[in-house]
Structures are given as structure tokens and as C-alpha cells.
Amino acid sequence: MSRRALTSFRIGAWAWVITGAGHLAAEGALALRPADPEAAHVLTAMSEYRIEVVGIARSLRDLDRGMSFVMAAALIFGGVVCLLVARSAPDLVTRSRSLSGLALGASLVVLALSVGLLPAPPIVLFTVACAAFGWALAAHPAPADRPTPV
């Protein structure tokens, strides 16, 4: 049962890494493609519109790209941390429901946000992450079913 939990947990972690890496690749591809006139007009308007946050002025385009890159890096980091935990400290995954529960909760939040705001790839990958972390969580006996230490 613990092997199933560990494998499922790793699948969920890889879904996060792939989502972040895919996002970085998509940002790069979008930056390299020729701009159509309508998109160029919107990007120019975003670049010209300045917003000051805590004394630092940035264009709306800078904020959009910055949040996008930060989100991608955070997804990769979170997924890699989960993979490292699964490899270096597998007991944190197989003996406790806490980490799988936390990963499932975070995946559910980002899935809900993705459904309302993002295209299909992150929706599919976060659905995979939710299922995988859910299976990892379900592989554990319920706390009341565990034998008490003597």
C-alpha cells in the first residue's frame, strides 16, 4: 500500500513540474512568434499602462509576464520539492497523510482557479495532480484504523 501511495504522490508532483515547465515553454514560444496587429495593439497598451505598487512602478505587461514567470517557477519548485521528499524521506509520504493532504488541497485550489481562468493544458494536468495526490491520500489507513503505538 505504501508503494502505491509513493507512486501516486510522485505522479502528482510530476504533474506540477510539467505544468510549470510547459508554461515557461509556452511563454517562450509566444514571445518568439510574429505578432499579429491586434495583439501588438493590446501589448502596446499594456506596456504603456503603468501601475505603482508599494512605490514601484511597472507596466501592466511587466506585471502580467512577471506573475506568469513566477507562477511557472513556483510550480516547478513545488513539484521538485515533492519529488525530493518522495525520494529522500519517503516516510513523510507513506506514513503520514499530512503531506499528501496538503498537496491535494493545493492542487484543488489551483485546479479551481485554472477551470475559471486558464486553457485546457493546466486544467488537465491539475486534474491529474488532484487524482494522484488523492490516491496517495486514500492509500493511507484512516487515523482511527491505525494501531496505536505501545
Side-chain angles (χ1 to χ4, degrees):
M1 199 179 309
S2 64
R3 185 172 178 90
R4 184 179 115 192
L6 201 54
T7 300
S8 296
F9 188 85
R10 285 183 175 129
I11 291 169
W14 274 111
W16 277 57
V17 171
I18 292 166
T19 304
H23 188 74
L24 285 177
E27 282 290 325
L30 287 173
L32 295 176
R33 77 175 187 183
D36 64 64
E38 189 174 320
H41 176 71
V42 171
L43 293 175
T44 299
M46 288 176 70
S47 295
E48 291 173 354
Y49 186 80
R50 311 276 303 166
I51 298 173
E52 187 173 320
V53 179
V54 194
I56 299 174
R58 297 284 189 256
S59 72
L60 186 57
R61 185 167 187 214
D62 289 340
L63 289 173
D64 180 65
R65 291 179 72 202
M67 286 186 284
S68 188
F69 286 129
V70 167
M71 187 257 337
L75 286 170
I76 293 169
F77 175 78
V80 168
V81 167
C82 286
L83 289 169
L84 290 171
V85 167
R87 183 179 64 192
S88 302
D91 285 352
L92 289 174
V93 176
T94 59
R95 291 192 182 179
S96 170
R97 297 168 57 94
S98 300
L99 188 56
S100 295
L102 178 65
L104 174 59
S107 295
L108 286 168
V109 169
V110 295
L111 174 59
L113 292 169
S114 297
V115 166
L117 301 170
L118 298 176
I123 295 169
V124 170
L125 287 164
F126 288 132
T127 300
V128 168
C130 287
F133 289 131
W135 287 327
L137 190 60
H140 295 286
D145 297 342
R146 289 191 173 166
T148 55
V150 193

